[in-house]
Each structure stands twice: as structure tokens, then as C-alpha cells.
Amino acid sequence: MQLISRSTLAPFIIGTSLLLTACGGGGSSSNDDNTSGTAAPQWVSGTFANYSSLANQCSAPLTQKLWLRSWSNDTYLWYDEIVDRDPAPYSVAEYFDLLKTNELSDTGSLKDNFHFSMSTEEWELLNGSGASVGYGMELSLRQASAGVSRQVTVAYNEPNTPASNAGVSRGAIIVSVDGVNVANASDSDSIDTLNAGLFPSDSGKQTVFVVRDLNAQTDRSVTLTAATVVSTPVQNTKTITTDSGKVGYLQFNSHIATAEKGLYDAMTTLSNAQVNDLVLDIRYNGGGLLAIASQLAYMVAGDTATANRVFERTSFNDKYPTIDPVTRDTLTPMPFIPESLGFNTSLLRSGVSLPTLNLKRVFVLTTPGTCSASEALMNALRGIDVEVIQLGDTTCGKPYGFYPTGNCDTTYFTIQFKGVNDKGFGEYSDGFVPSTNPTVDSEVPGCMLADDLGHALGDTDETLLSAALYYRDNNSCPAAATAIARAPVKHTFVDPGFMLQDVRNQNVLLNNRILTPQASEQ
């Protein structure tokens, strides 16, 4: 077992109740006396007070905005691309939305598509247990604008939730919501009804859905009541027996704190089964805690492959070339973590050695919903020469991350760092692309395939899993992949006038790469 000292691991250990606040440390060095004395702080173009001096002054909206401005100027990765606007005309939320770059990437996409905030209460609940208000069904939204091509389909559901208890499962098409037809709704009132029903914000809300279940010939009506749903991030662990050995399959939906115990149990099961290969289904996993990704990478690759290697090196803006601007620690690469960290001690205490599969390759199933910490997992394994074979669609492209930072009952998420693997690679801002003939580092050997909502996840006839098993035997893609290999499907939306909101905006952990402040060692 690879040994890493507790002091080495400490930056990656959190208690689920810990949340970084703006108090204590940090802030720019220019004109720190701007808020001295009794005078209320004011906006002065180009002058930034130390943000800690502005923290938690919740009765003064202008001071809250000035805190956001100084905090962004100090820690935002592209701080020098923020336009320094007078905050007076804007609400706090509106001003935060402006504190980001509007520059484009080399391919013409916005550099920053991951700037958001939420209530601190909601964030703590979501991060600690994966709890959020809903019906327990993850939705696939195809073509958000009006027209016959718009379709909302259930991608999967959580166990023991309103959706699963009503039998609304993968492949079910949502035909209407509270009487509004999904396919052709085009006016603002109808769109509002669809959004309110599909993405409820209040527990107890009842919504009438007309659904067409997978392979059904007729529709049925079902009433679902929104509730606080606790996510089960690790599901569907199984061993598939083939003529050439055992293949492990694991559906992994989110890098949240409770995933530590789920992954420990799943990988223990697969290790005991002595699987020869692993299919890791992360098609709906948009990220979360980087330490969870590091643990999983270690469990896949094992002790020998990860010894003295780096899971990820993080870098911040040019004000902080050698220290972390949030923790004030000297920048230290994140290792492959070989033991439990006790994210939720009621489930798994810290310091338990993790099981390993000791694999030289791994098959990953992806979609554009595969994001951030999931991409870091892929990148880290490739950085230590574990062969990654990608089946599915291009990932979201987010080699960036942040520290959730609270002020006045709101937690803010702004890009503060980027990461590279042990080989120094981290430029996949347009996503990892499965390719039969990779020519650049962001192209991964594998097969371009569309998500198959017509089969259950883990079904060996499901397109992506079936392709992984075929590739394993033939070192090539099945014929089904050929048709779209030359023209991959891009999930773009048009007609912004009447759009459904993307379900991924409802769960911030589906688009995150999160570091957390160091916990106190016990």
C-alpha cells in the first residue's frame, strides 16, 4: 500500500459542515485602507479593498457587491479580463453575473460557462448528502426551443423517489406537463409552466405529467409530488462474464461526499470478483470533489502505477504563482489518494485503505454531461499511462475549478484554477473527443456514439456498453459508430426566445470541479 502522510493529505480532507467564508485572509494588496475609518466603502475605478474587510456586511448591498468585486479581482483566474463597472446600478446577483470574462477560447466558444451562485443552505445540503428538491429523475433535454423536435426523456431515476415509485424510468418520454405539450409549446406562459413542472423549487409541488414509457404504445398520466431527494451517486455495480474474462461495470453519477462510501463498496465488490476490465459509466457525471476523483483513479490503477505520481497540479492566476490564494498554502500537487478521507464519517471513517483493481486500461462512457472532475479523472489516468478508451460523445470541456465561497447566506462559484495531469497536459477546454484516429491530445481512442435511451443503464445491449464490450474484443468500433464518427452530434440550442432551462443548471454538482479548504486535523 502506498503511504501518504496525513499532512500531505490534509489539504484534500473536509468535514461536510465546512464551507469557506470570506472572513480571514485573502484580498488584493492595493489600497487596503479604502475602507478604513467609519466612512462607508465606495467604488473607485481600479482601486480594490482587501475583500476580507468587506465580508459579511449583509445589511449593505453595496458592500456585498464591493466584496464580490475585490474577491473576484484577487482570485478569479482571468481577473484582468473583468470590466470594472460601477456596482451601483445593479443588484448583488446581477453584479456577480458581470464579474467574469467575456473573452472567447481559440475555437470561438466563451471561456467561462461555469459562473453561478446559490443559497448557502442549499449548497451545504447538496454537497453533504446530494439532497435537492425534485422528483428523482434525471432528464435528457434535446432541442430546447419550440418545435416538433423538442423532446424531454428520462435518463435515469434515483431509487425510492417519487419518479421511481411511480414507475417513471429511463426511456420514458415526457409528453406534457400540467397540460402543456412539451414538443410544441412556444409562448412564454407555456414555457414557464414546463420549467416550473420539470424543475420544481419547492417540496410538495404537485405536477401532472403525461408520459410514454419505453416501448409503450399508449400514454399514461401520472401525478408526481416534489420532495427532497437524496442522490445515490454510485449505482448499478455488476460483473459481466465474457469468454475472455470478467468485466466490471459501474454507474457513477456525481463526485459528492457520499460517493466515497459507494465507490469503496463498489470497487471492493469488483476487486473481490477479480475483474479483468472496467467499464466506468460517467455519461451523466458532471463532477464535484476532486479528491473523490483522485481516490477513484487510485482504485482503478492501483499502488504501483500511482506511486510518486501526480493526480493533478493546479495553478491560479498570475498574482499567485506559488501559493493558493484561498488557503494561503504553498501550491502542492494533488496525489493519487490511497485511503478514505472521511467525507461522511457516519458512512466511512478516514484512514481506511482503498481497494484496487490494478488495471492498465479503463473504458469510459461519456456524453456532453461528462464534465469537470470526471474529465480530470480521465486526464489523470492518461497522465500515468493507463489506457483510457472513450465510448460516447464529446465531454463538456472544463479543465477549471473553484472553491465554493460564502458571503451573506449566498455561496458563489467563480473559476479560480486550472489543472494539468502528471505529464503537464490540461488543454481540453473543448472536451475530450472519442476518435478512431486521434491526432491531438484531447482526442481519445474510442468510438463516437449517441446516448441510447432505449435500454437500461448496465444492459449489455445498451449502445455505449455494448460498444465497450465489442471494442474490448476487437480493438475497433462497432459498425454503429461509423455513421456519426465523421459528424459528431453537438448539443446546441437555437431560438433563445422560448427555451426550456437545461436540467443541468438545476444541480451544480453536474458541472463542477471543486476544491475545499483544509479541515482541522483531529
Side-chain angles (χ1 to χ4, degrees):
M1 173 57 64
Q2 175 185 351
L3 297 179
I4 295 180
S5 69
R6 298 295 292 170
S7 60
T8 301
L9 288 178
F12 313 115
I13 302 172
I14 67 166
T16 55
S17 64
L18 280 180
L19 182 69
L20 183 66
T21 64
C23 296
S28 62
S29 59
S30 60
N31 294 332
D32 282 351
D33 61 351
N34 187 49
T35 57
S36 62
T38 59
Q42 300 294 322
W43 173 74
V44 178
S45 179
T47 300
F48 298 89
N50 186 304
Y51 67 82
S52 63
S53 70
L54 304 169
N56 294 319
Q57 299 184 39
C58 305
S59 62
L62 176 59
T63 306
Q64 291 184 55
K65 288 180 276 188
L66 292 174
W67 175 85
L68 283 168
R69 174 176 172 268
S70 289
W71 172 67
S72 300
N73 179 261
D74 192 56
T75 69
Y76 186 59
L77 185 61
W78 303 291
Y79 70 94
D80 53 352
E81 296 176 11
I82 298 175
V83 177
D84 188 15
R85 299 177 175 87
D86 183 351
Y90 308 101
S91 69
V92 174
E94 290 170 340
Y95 193 62
F96 174 67
D97 288 342
L98 296 172
L99 293 173
K100 65 174 186 174
T101 181
N102 291 312
E103 298 296 316
L104 303 179
S105 70
D106 292 340
T107 60
S109 302
L110 283 173
K111 279 169 108 174
D112 187 351
N113 292 301
F114 305 98
H115 190 79
F116 65 97
S117 63
M118 65 192 307
S119 77
T120 296
E121 180 182 15
E122 183 182 4
W123 160 244
E124 289 178 332
L125 183 64
L126 186 61
N127 181 52
S129 65
S132 59
V133 173
Y135 312 107
M137 55 184 182
E138 171 75 9
L139 303 178
S140 172
L141 179 60
R142 296 183 179 179
Q143 186 53 274
S145 60
V148 295
S149 60
R150 183 200 287 143
Q151 184 171 296
V152 176
T153 309
V154 177
Y156 70 89
N157 57 27
E158 298 286 354
N160 303 313
T161 59
S164 61
N165 292 338
V168 181
S169 56
R170 180 173 173 83
I173 296 172
I174 308 297
V175 178
S176 70
V177 179
D178 281 338
V180 174
N181 185 273
V182 170
N184 55 30
S186 58
D187 62 277
S188 59
D189 287 343
S190 295
I191 296 298
D192 288 345
T193 298
L194 293 180
N195 282 325
L198 291 170
F199 314 117
S201 56
D202 298 318
S203 183
K205 174 180 171 53
Q206 289 193 327
T207 302
V208 178
F209 294 94
V210 173
V211 302
R212 177 164 293 188
D213 296 310
L214 181 64
N215 299 324
Q217 301 301 311
T218 59
D219 301 337
R220 67 181 176 106
S221 178
V222 58
T223 299
L224 299 182
T225 302
T228 298
V229 173
V230 177
S231 172
T232 303
V234 183
Q235 300 183 26
N236 217 3
T237 305
K238 62 174 59 179
T239 300
I240 302 167
T241 301
T242 74
D243 293 339
S244 54
K246 296 178 181 178
V247 180
Y249 170 85
L250 173 62
Q251 178 189 341
F252 180 33
N253 296 330
S254 183
H255 292 73
I256 58 176
T258 52
E260 182 177 47
K261 179 60 163 62
L263 289 171
Y264 176 87
D265 290 343
M267 298 300 270
T268 297
T269 296
L270 297 177
S271 178
N272 290 339
Q274 297 182 318
V275 298
N276 306 105
D277 275 299
L278 175 67
V279 178
L280 188 60
D281 195 338
I282 50 175
R283 72 184 80 190
Y284 305 125
N285 190 325
L289 299 169
L290 273 180
I292 295 285
S294 175
Q295 290 175 312
L296 178 54
Y298 171 80
M299 288 188 278
V300 169
D303 188 71
T304 301
T306 59
N308 302 314
R309 306 295 290 273
V310 169
F311 174 82
E312 183 169 281
R313 290 184 177 88
T314 55
S315 61
F316 294 80
N317 66 42
D318 59 14
K319 295 181 181 181
Y320 296 98
T322 61
I323 67 169
D324 183 317
V326 177
T327 67
R328 318 305 292 184
D329 294 327
T330 300
L331 289 181
T332 303
M334 176 177 280
F336 288 86
I337 301 174
E339 63 182 40
S340 62
L341 299 179
F343 285 100
N344 190 320
T345 53
S346 65
L347 297 176
L348 183 66
R349 64 180 174 82
S350 62
V352 177
S353 297
L354 299 178
T356 59
L357 301 183
N358 301 308
L359 298 176
K360 301 297 185 183
R361 67 177 176 182
V362 63
F363 298 84
V364 295
L365 312 184
T366 66
T367 69
T370 305
C371 197
S372 203
S374 290
E375 293 172 302
L377 169 70
M378 295 171 61
N379 196 43
L381 289 172
R382 298 181 80 205
I384 58 171
D385 296 317
V386 172
E387 183 182 13
V388 175
I389 300 167
Q390 182 181 359
L391 298 305
D393 206 342
T394 304
T395 62
C396 83
K398 186 171 182 280
Y400 312 113
F402 33 60
Y403 283 94
T405 305
N407 190 60
C408 295
D409 300 322
T410 299
T411 295
Y412 297 95
F413 302 78
T414 196
I415 290 177
Q416 293 158 318
F417 63 88
K418 58 184 177 181
V420 299
N421 65 16
D422 193 70
K423 294 182 177 181
F425 177 72
E427 183 40 61
Y428 49 89
S429 57
D430 290 316
F432 283 118
V433 183
S435 172
T436 56
N437 184 30
T439 57
V440 297
D441 286 339
S442 60
E443 293 179 342
V444 180
C447 314
M448 180 69 73
L449 293 159
D451 192 9
D452 174 10
L453 295 170
H455 290 86
L457 296 174
D459 184 342
T460 55
D461 289 330
E462 188 275 322
T463 298
L464 271 59
L465 176 54
S466 175
L469 297 175
Y470 182 92
Y471 198 105
R472 178 177 178 270
D473 290 336
N474 298 279
N475 201 37
S476 62
C477 296
T482 305
I484 62 171
R486 298 183 182 87
V489 177
K490 290 294 182 182
H491 292 240
T492 55
F493 297 144
V494 297
D495 183 15
F498 298 113
M499 278 191 183
L500 295 180
Q501 56 191 348
D502 190 333
V503 67
R504 302 194 186 284
N505 291 332
Q506 300 304 300
N507 187 339
V508 298
L509 292 181
L510 291 174
N511 284 321
N512 281 352
R513 174 191 297 241
I514 299 171
L515 285 178
T516 51
Q518 179 174 332
S520 300
E521 292 194 67
Q522 301 299 318

